[in-house]
Amino acid sequence: MSISPGKLKHLKALSNAKGIIAAAAMDQRGSLQKSIASAKGVDVKAVTPEMMSEFKTAVTRVLTPHASAILLDPEFGLDAAKVRSSNAGLLLAYEQTGYDNTQPGRLPDLLPHVSAKRIADWGADAVKILIYYTPFDTADINDVKHAFIERVGAECEYNDIPFFLEFVGYDPKGGDEKGLEYAKIKPQIVIGSMAEFTKPQYCVDVLKVEVPVNAEFVEGSSVYKGRKAYTRAEALGYYRRAAEVATKPFIYLSAGVGNAQFVESLNMATEAGTDYSGVLCGRATWKEGMGIYAKQGVKALEDWLQDQGVKNINAVNAALTGATPWAKKLGIAA
């Protein structure tokens, strides 16, 4: 599979010495504001842009020496990007936080003052888009999302910058995405989404995907809570099926789960023998720090990050022993 020299250079900048993407994610916006506000016991509007930037800057400064890259957002993260470690590449988010909740389908939108060109001009190595997607939504809703991703992909191609597409599944009927019933259909949602967006018309360079199972419902997993959606053998089979449909490199996202659950999910990926090429891991590394920042301030957050945050990211890094270099997935020389 061919890739331009420009994109190849950027992908190398986002990777560690082994060609694995071991990236941290700090592009949360609406969810971060709400979590800090809740912990402080204040209205979400009381969490100022300056506070958002301060939080992101602390996380970036402490964690990027242990990461191959950092994902930030142009709204509150550009100052943080300036303090990242020299070893860390930069991805910037292009989508607006959240989704349009005035109509069905969780439709996405782009930041109005951002473009792929501007992201490149700000020194980023990749454009990241998040969409909510399920093969089980209506054909009309999914066609809107397909066209949306085709436009972004073409824009990234023109600007010769890698396109990382993150898709997060959901239940169009409004069910609990953390519950048992959703866990049972999650493999089909992840596999179907990967099969769709690996197609060439989207010009996606790296798929940022959820693990295809919820480890809390895998019988015998280290985080199993007693209710079974799949045996361990079935879970490993879903990992393999998801990997098999991807013709592009893919990396796993932590999707807001805790560190122990994400590490167990990566261990299962290794056990299944999947050729995933790394991670883009956010809250599994730093989410406990939100309450500390809200109640004790930035110095307490930095102290916690230097201790537990670094332990968390190193636990994820240690679980990447089974990852495959993205160059191998592309069939090119490293």
Side-chain angles (χ1 to χ4, degrees):
M1 189 175 296
S2 63
I3 186 169
S4 73
K7 285 192 174 188
L8 190 62
K9 178 182 176 181
H10 284 303
L11 284 174
K12 288 181 177 179
L14 297 167
S15 310
N16 65 20
K18 296 180 180 179
I20 304 300
I21 298 167
M26 188 63 262
D27 65 322
Q28 288 77 4
R29 286 155 280 171
S31 62
L32 178 62
Q33 283 182 300
K34 291 173 184 175
S35 295
I36 293 174
S38 176
K40 286 180 75 72
V42 298
D43 185 85
V44 68
K45 294 179 181 178
V47 180
T48 64
E50 291 75 19
M51 293 167 65
M52 293 284 286
S53 178
E54 184 177 59
F55 186 93
K56 290 171 181 284
T57 298
V59 170
T60 301
R61 182 186 293 114
V62 176
L63 296 186
T64 51
H66 309 276
S68 70
I70 181 78
L71 167 62
L72 292 161
D73 58 277
E75 294 169 279
F76 309 113
L78 292 181
D79 285 341
K82 297 173 184 175
V83 306
R84 73 187 191 276
S85 174
S86 60
N87 62 277
L90 175 65
L91 306 96
L92 285 175
Y94 189 3
E95 82 284 348
Q96 289 193 20
T97 187
Y99 51 84
D100 183 354
N101 59 11
T102 64
Q103 54 185 319
R106 301 192 184 189
L107 296 177
D109 206 351
L110 299 176
L111 290 167
H113 297 287
V114 179
S115 67
K117 180 185 184 302
R118 292 184 183 189
I119 286 175
D121 289 345
W122 288 326
D125 295 295
V127 170
K128 189 275 304 188
I129 287 284
L130 181 153
I131 61 166
Y132 291 88
Y133 189 84
T134 172
F136 299 121
D137 215 326
T138 67
D140 183 61
I141 285 172
N142 282 343
D143 192 52
V144 170
K145 296 177 183 180
H146 296 164
F148 179 85
I149 297 305
E150 288 167 2
R151 286 193 294 271
V152 176
E155 195 178 344
C156 292
E157 284 287 290
Y158 182 82
N159 288 280
D160 203 22
I161 187 169
F163 177 19
F164 281 56
L165 175 61
E166 171 182 0
F167 35 89
V168 175
Y170 65 96
D171 182 354
K173 297 179 181 177
D176 177 15
E177 278 103 22
K178 295 181 180 180
L180 175 63
E181 293 310 308
Y182 183 81
K184 292 177 181 177
I185 62 170
K186 184 179 181 184
Q188 285 71 42
I189 291 173
V190 173
I191 293 166
S193 300
M194 291 176 70
E196 179 61 41
F197 291 110
T198 199
K199 293 175 182 176
Q201 67 261 32
Y202 299 110
C203 300
V204 174
D205 295 291
V206 177
L207 302 165
K208 183 185 175 194
V209 307
E210 295 179 279
V211 297
V213 299
N214 184 332
E216 291 186 342
F217 298 102
V218 177
E219 188 177 39
S221 85
S222 64
V223 292
Y224 182 53
K225 292 192 172 179
R227 293 197 299 161
K228 183 181 76 172
Y230 1 70
T231 65
R232 193 173 187 89
E234 288 170 339
L236 298 180
Y238 289 133
Y239 272 94
R240 295 184 190 106
R241 283 177 54 196
E244 286 165 0
V245 302
T247 60
K248 305 287 181 75
F250 65 96
I251 60 177
Y252 291 124
L253 61 107
S254 57
V257 304
N259 192 260
Q261 183 172 342
F262 190 50
V263 169
E264 174 68 354
S265 298
L266 295 177
N267 289 339
M268 284 193 285
T270 298
E271 187 178 345
T274 64
D275 57 350
Y276 77 102
S277 295
V279 296
L280 236 170
C281 175
R283 285 166 288 182
T285 301
W286 50 257
K287 73 176 184 177
E288 288 87 355
M290 293 185 289
I292 292 169
Y293 174 76
K295 295 172 183 175
Q296 302 175 53
V298 69
K299 178 60 168 61
L301 169 64
E302 289 174 341
D303 290 344
W304 180 87
L305 287 166
Q306 290 284 5
D307 180 23
Q308 191 59 49
V310 169
K311 289 178 182 176
N312 286 345
I313 197 168
N314 283 338
V316 172
N317 289 338
L320 295 178
T321 54
T324 299
W326 49 263
K328 184 176 180 180
K329 183 75 173 179
L330 288 174
I332 61 174

